[in-house]
Amino acid sequence: MARSSSGIVAGLTVAALAAVGFLAFQAHANVPDDLGKPSGTVSAKASAPKTPKAAKKDPNALPVPSGTGARVVYSLGTDRVWLVGAGNKVKRTFKVTPGTVDPAVGSYAVTSRTGLTPGSDGTQIEHVVRFTQVSSIAIGFSAAVDGTTEAPDPGKKLGGIRATRADGDAMWAFATVGAKVVVVK
């Protein structure tokens, strides 16, 4: 009995494959000659992609989404800051050197500012704009008075996000207490 049931299964399989092959042949034989070719009614310009696949995203472009209205946008992934004015217009963008402790992604407000003070790493800093704390470590933007923007000691827990002096001046003028700060990935 085992032989007869396996013979039936084999016969059905052969019949099914033959039927599929026949249907595929018929479908292929009835394909119009112009299938897959551009039609005369659609211009090449209209069907071309809007942006080339090889186009690279502008590293200075404001991250989307990053909120609305006047705000400071800080990207953890690119270590870049944007000062965004009314109408979503970028007034300035610049690279920064992050501390060893990052803020969480989210929306904050500037909580305090200090004109000149020693940083937690011992460097004299100016134009400190703080916007949050992580485990009692203040997180904020600043500029070293000596102009350095070197990476901090990875063995220390530091929340200072360092900018050049010129960029620190721009941040100081833009981000007053209560100003919105948006942290993105």
Side-chain angles (χ1 to χ4, degrees):
M1 177 123 174
R3 281 186 160 189
S4 64
S5 66
S6 64
I8 292 172
V9 171
L12 290 173
T13 303
V14 169
L17 288 173
V20 169
F22 176 73
L23 292 172
F25 173 78
Q26 276 190 323
H28 184 268
N30 293 317
V31 173
D33 292 334
D34 63 347
L35 184 67
K37 294 181 182 172
S39 93
T41 59
V42 178
S43 71
K45 183 178 180 183
S47 64
K50 301 266 187 231
T51 57
K53 288 182 181 178
K56 294 187 179 182
K57 185 179 176 187
D58 180 3
N60 297 329
L62 182 64
V64 176
S66 65
T68 59
R71 65 201 181 279
V72 175
V73 177
Y74 172 44
S75 170
L76 297 170
T78 62
D79 298 327
R80 179 168 287 280
V81 169
W82 292 262
L83 304 180
V84 184
N88 221 34
K89 177 139 176 77
V90 175
K91 294 180 166 239
R92 186 181 188 113
T93 183
F94 50 90
K95 292 289 282 181
V96 292
T97 303
T100 58
V101 177
D102 285 333
V105 170
S107 185
Y108 303 89
V110 173
T111 56
S112 67
R113 296 169 17 121
T114 303
L116 185 67
T117 189
S120 51
D121 63 353
T123 302
Q124 191 70 10
I125 57 175
E126 64 182 358
H127 299 152
V128 181
V129 176
R130 294 176 205 85
F131 60 92
T132 192
Q133 286 191 7
V134 175
S135 300
S136 74
I137 297 167
I139 308 291
F141 305 102
S142 64
V145 172
D146 66 7
T148 61
T149 57
E150 296 172 10
D153 179 350
K156 295 182 179 178
K157 292 187 176 192
L158 304 169
I161 303 162
R162 294 281 166 84
T164 65
R165 290 188 81 188
D167 293 332
D169 289 347
M171 176 67 77
W172 183 256
F174 185 84
T176 57
V177 172
K180 187 176 184 178
V181 177
V182 178
V183 178
V184 298
K185 284 188 174 186

